[in-house]
Amino acid sequence: MSTQAIESLSEDTVRRIADERDEPEWLLETRLNALSALETADLPDVIQTPGRRWTDLESLDFEALVDPLNQSDATERSAGDDEVVVLPFTEAFDEYGDVIEANFGSVLDPEHNYLTALSVALFTTGTFVYVPEGVDVEDVTVRAEMNSRSLFSQTLVVAEESSSVTILESIESGDSAVDGDRYFSNLVEIAAGENSNVQFGSLQNLDDDSYTYSLKRGVTDAYATVDWIESNFGSKLTRSDVETELSGDGSESQIVGTFFGTDDQHFDINARVWHQAEHTTADLVTRGVLDDVARSVYEGVQDVGEDAWNTSSYQRENTLMLSDDAEADASPKLIIHNHDTEASHSATVGQVDAEDLFYLESRTIDSHTARNMLVEGFFVPVLEEIAVDESRDDVQELVLQRLQ
């Protein structure tokens, strides 16, 4: 589905962004190619059921939402170890320009769809993370505040052979002086070298005037691991795509997702993995809660290629609805082209178990507290899958805030 052109967006706008950041010529060309792609690019596909498109991206007024020359953010980056490089792109080009040029756009095609092209053409913030061979670092953090009507962010992670890194990013709304709707775009690409291990945790908690699009994609070399923790609590409408291409023999990926919707929030959550090599393993786990008139749609895809011998691939998604007016749909998919595969997928949508609620109430626990206890218990299985303590604590805290 295509979208309307943004009349205020021009080549001059893109050149001004690149000039202000003193970017190399190759990146300017990448931006301009992305800008040109907007003329024919389609919006991301959305799940459809008979008579209904679950997510309405076509109605977004990008002319009003996008203000490319007035982007503003406050971002704190912490490396935790001198051996790992954690820099904004503007500070990384001089010393690491060759590494950035070799990897930027190699994992995530800038022209993948209309929203990726828009983001690559206009991004002004983001982070370059470079983990040299053999380096092991656990506490890389990127904490950002959005202080403008629109903000486009780009992150590139390059993990060399036998390296290991844990990265935690978060985004929340800052400057309250910005009135009206906002738009935040977040693209992340991870190039995981042989025998490397990358854990990437992301927490989105923007205000309810925001529209959010994120696409995070990783590609693995032999025996590499890319694990994702994707948590969405804020924003009026969230479209979240997390993808891993298992290209190296013996590589692995886990995608853990959580979301909690209240009021009229809408979540479009997607987890996808492509098994392209032998002896690869994937585990997709998502749990979400909806209250009031919140809505969610989930698609999980496990695609096993012809050469992906001895594949193990598992997927499970569960949505708990606390209101009769909440809505959820789930579409787990297995696409298998190799018979030497062990795979399963499941999805459930339901309400709080009446018998469990009655049991707690019969023990003199009031109904509100009893319900909250069951919701906390509902998240336990997915919290147990989050190996990073700080990320798990952040999710738990936000769940408790929503319940209060």
Side-chain angles (χ1 to χ4, degrees):
M1 183 69 69
S2 61
T3 190
Q4 294 181 347
I6 303 174
E7 298 295 336
S8 60
L9 189 57
S10 67
E11 181 177 323
D12 180 64
T13 301
V14 173
R15 288 186 179 275
R16 284 183 61 182
I17 291 172
D19 288 345
E20 290 174 0
R21 296 159 50 85
D22 195 23
E23 292 177 349
E25 188 66 23
W26 68 263
L27 183 52
L28 172 60
E29 290 302 315
T30 301
R31 287 183 180 275
L32 292 175
N33 289 337
L35 178 68
S36 297
L38 293 176
E39 297 178 6
T40 56
D42 291 335
L43 287 167
D45 291 334
V46 300
I47 293 295
Q48 299 186 59
T49 51
R52 182 174 191 180
R53 292 175 62 83
W54 272 80
T55 302
D56 183 11
L57 298 176
E58 292 79 17
S59 295
L60 294 184
D61 184 358
F62 289 100
E63 189 71 58
L65 288 171
V66 174
D67 188 5
L69 296 178
N70 292 297
Q71 299 182 60
S72 176
D73 67 287
T75 300
E76 296 180 357
R77 300 172 179 86
S78 173
D81 191 310
D82 292 339
E83 292 183 284
V84 66
V85 175
V86 182
L87 293 171
F89 282 101
T90 48
E91 298 177 21
F93 286 122
D94 286 345
E95 189 171 351
Y96 302 99
D98 290 345
V99 178
I100 298 174
E101 184 176 3
N103 290 278
F104 190 99
S106 66
V107 175
L108 195 163
D109 181 3
E111 301 171 28
H112 178 64
N113 61 46
Y114 184 91
L115 298 184
T116 58
L118 185 67
S119 198
V120 171
L122 300 180
F123 80 92
T124 60
T125 189
T127 304
F128 172 60
V129 180
Y130 175 57
V131 194
E133 181 177 346
V135 170
D136 183 358
V137 60
E138 294 185 353
D139 47 1
V140 173
T141 59
V142 180
R143 297 190 178 276
E145 280 189 356
M146 178 179 175
N147 296 321
S148 51
R149 181 170 308 285
S150 58
L151 184 65
F152 297 88
S153 176
Q154 186 90 25
T155 297
L156 171 63
V157 180
V158 179
E160 291 195 334
E161 181 178 348
S162 299
S163 65
S164 178
V165 63
T166 297
I167 303 163
L168 300 181
E169 71 160 21
S170 64
I171 178 72
E172 59 184 19
S173 299
D175 188 359
S176 59
V178 178
D179 296 325
D181 292 338
R182 305 190 193 194
Y183 180 76
F184 176 65
S185 176
N186 186 23
L187 304 186
V188 177
E189 49 185 339
I190 296 176
E194 182 176 346
N195 198 42
S196 64
N197 187 314
V198 180
Q199 293 189 87
F200 194 97
S202 184
L203 178 60
Q204 181 269 119
N205 192 32
L206 292 164
D207 64 31
D208 57 10
D209 289 326
S210 304
Y211 296 91
T212 302
Y213 173 70
S214 70
L215 173 56
K216 303 178 176 73
R217 197 169 198 276
V219 173
T220 59
D221 205 334
Y223 307 108
T225 298
V226 172
D227 290 338
W228 304 93
I229 304 165
E230 178 77 355
S231 300
N232 287 286
F233 285 80
S235 188
K236 178 187 302 184
L237 183 152
T238 298
R239 168 63 185 244
S240 166
D241 297 335
V242 181
E243 306 177 348
T244 306
E245 182 177 324
L246 296 168
S247 297
D249 291 349
S251 58
E252 302 180 3
S253 183
Q254 183 181 50
I255 302 174
V256 177
T258 58
F259 62 90
F260 198 137
T262 58
D263 297 325
D264 62 349
Q265 285 183 283
H266 181 98
F267 295 97
D268 187 329
I269 307 295
N270 303 274
R272 305 183 184 96
V273 61
W274 289 269
H275 296 265
Q276 307 284 22
E278 299 181 8
H279 312 295
T280 56
T281 301
D283 190 21
L284 284 55
V285 187
T286 300
R287 287 208 166 197
V289 171
L290 301 174
D291 203 353
D292 304 318
V293 292
R295 296 178 298 163
S296 73
V297 57
Y298 167 85
E299 181 184 59
V301 177
Q302 302 147 276
D303 190 311
V304 181
E306 292 182 2
D307 298 323
W309 299 95
N310 191 26
T311 290
S312 298
S313 192
Y314 310 100
Q315 176 186 175
R316 51 204 185 278
E317 193 275 342
N318 307 97
T319 304
L320 181 65
M321 295 188 294
L322 305 182
S323 163
D324 291 337
D325 297 317
E327 293 184 280
D329 191 47
S331 178
K333 298 176 181 177
L334 280 172
I335 304 171
I336 298 177
H337 303 285
N338 186 306
H339 64 82
D340 187 18
T341 297
E342 181 177 304
S344 65
H345 69 285
S346 65
T348 64
V349 175
Q351 295 184 322
V352 172
D353 188 279
E355 291 186 7
D356 291 341
L357 191 62
F358 176 76
Y359 175 81
L360 292 175
E361 291 175 342
S362 70
R363 296 300 186 268
T364 69
I365 299 173
D366 68 86
S367 59
H368 182 73
T369 301
R371 189 197 72 159
N372 288 358
M373 290 173 64
L374 292 174
V375 173
E376 291 179 55
F378 173 79
F379 274 111
V380 166
V382 74
L383 290 171
E384 290 176 344
E385 299 285 351
I386 300 178
V388 184
D389 291 344
E390 184 177 350
S391 183
R392 184 170 57 249
D393 292 344
D394 286 345
V395 172
Q396 283 183 305
E397 181 179 349
L398 283 173
V399 168
L400 291 176
Q401 288 179 9
R402 287 298 173 95
L403 291 174
Q404 292 171 358

